[in-house]
Amino acid sequence: MPDKPVLIMGSAPNVTACAAWPSSRFSAIVAINNAWQVRPDWTHHIAPDDFPLDRAPKALEAGQIRVTSSTYVPANNRYGGILYAGGTMAFTAGYWALAALKPSAMIFVGCDMIYPQDKRTHFYGTGTADPLRDDISLRNLEAKSARLLLHAAAQGCVCLRADSPESRLLFPIKTPEALEETASLPDAKAFNSVKAQEKELAYHVASGRYWESETPFSPAKLDAIDDLWLAALAA
């Protein structure tokens, strides 16, 4: 397992704070969607299939890799699938990194999912508030962050976030100068119980395109699973 954390960059305005963080502190730098513009030394660019080509990096430098749905969907399936994980790229990138990079820590910057009405929502200006769309997988962003934190901890990885005034992520706040924290294993009984209930509910869509599924997903049942993840985090 790498002894350095992975940096995961989203598009919130505070992501620019990490532009000057030394790359030597990280084993990989993952840029979500437009965040590749924040610093040139990113190692992985991850974006959904509908990400506009004219906003993607035009060429890859040595050591840079594009991560597409053909890679990140199978990775997310190892952790129960995107419907349970939460269908927004911050969570998708987190689970992909857990599977592909096996980090000791992940620090999320610009992934707070706070979208004010009267100021810039993204580092490049005003963008689409993806996690606030009407999506059955995004009804409780805090619970989805708890789920990722617990799955990471079970793998020996700690989830952290950069300081920001508000965040929907329930991760501890850390700076790159203070990343010695190690993951505490989740309460095994609580963790395995929620996973078992997800499996029993069987809302797994192998393609990752749960919005195209003919399965009648129950919001109430998914809300109940979210509540269990929050309880498992508190256990």
Side-chain angles (χ1 to χ4, degrees), residues 8 32 75-76 79 84-86 88-99 103 106-108 111 113 140-160 169-171 183 186 191 198 226 229-230 233:
I8 298 182
I32 300 171
N76 274 251
Y79 300 93
Y84 288 136
T88 193
M89 289 307 296
F91 298 136
T92 296
Y95 286 104
W96 168 79
L98 277 181
M106 296 186 290
I107 181 165
F108 290 76
C111 299
M113 306 183 206
N140 190 330
L141 295 172
E142 288 79 5
K144 298 306 186 187
S145 76
R147 184 184 190 275
L148 175 57
L149 185 154
L150 291 168
H151 275 81
Q155 192 172 300
C157 172
V158 61
C159 286
L160 307 166
L169 301 179
L170 301 184
F171 307 157
F191 180 67
E198 284 187 347
D226 283 343
W229 281 119
L230 290 172
L233 180 61

Side-chain angles (χ1 to χ4, degrees), residues 73 75-86 95 147 198 203-205 208 210:
V73 169
N76 274 251
N77 285 343
R78 291 176 53 179
Y79 300 93
I82 290 177
L83 177 59
Y84 288 136
Y95 286 104
R147 184 184 190 275
E198 284 187 347
Y203 283 0
H204 179 71
V205 182
Y210 53 88

Side-chain angles (χ1 to χ4, degrees), residues 4-146:
K4 296 179 182 178
V6 166
L7 173 61
I8 298 182
M9 303 187 300
S11 293
N14 68 318
V15 70
T16 56
C18 77
W21 292 357
S23 60
S24 59
R25 296 187 182 276
F26 306 103
S27 59
I29 298 175
V30 180
I32 300 171
N33 296 343
N34 296 283
W36 62 273
Q37 301 172 46
V38 173
R39 52 188 297 165
D41 56 351
W42 54 269
T43 57
H44 300 80
H45 178 251
I46 184 168
D49 293 339
D50 60 357
F51 186 69
L53 290 178
D54 62 349
R55 300 180 74 172
K58 300 300 183 290
L60 302 182
E61 301 293 336
Q64 292 182 330
I65 298 171
R66 295 187 197 274
V67 180
T68 65
S69 63
S70 64
T71 301
Y72 66 67
V73 169
N76 274 251
N77 285 343
R78 291 176 53 179
Y79 300 93
I82 290 177
L83 177 59
Y84 288 136
T88 193
M89 289 307 296
F91 298 136
T92 296
Y95 286 104
W96 168 79
L98 277 181
L101 305 178
K102 298 179 172 59
S104 59
M106 296 186 290
I107 181 165
F108 290 76
V109 187
C111 299
D112 297 299
M113 306 183 206
I114 300 294
Y115 299 97
Q117 299 295 316
D118 58 349
K119 61 182 70 173
R120 292 197 313 160
T121 59
H122 296 68
F123 73 89
Y124 52 84
T126 301
T128 302
D130 177 68
L132 300 185
R133 70 183 188 273
D134 185 17
D135 188 300
I136 197 169
S137 80
L138 299 172
R139 294 167 59 83
N140 190 330
L141 295 172
E142 288 79 5
K144 298 306 186 187
S145 76

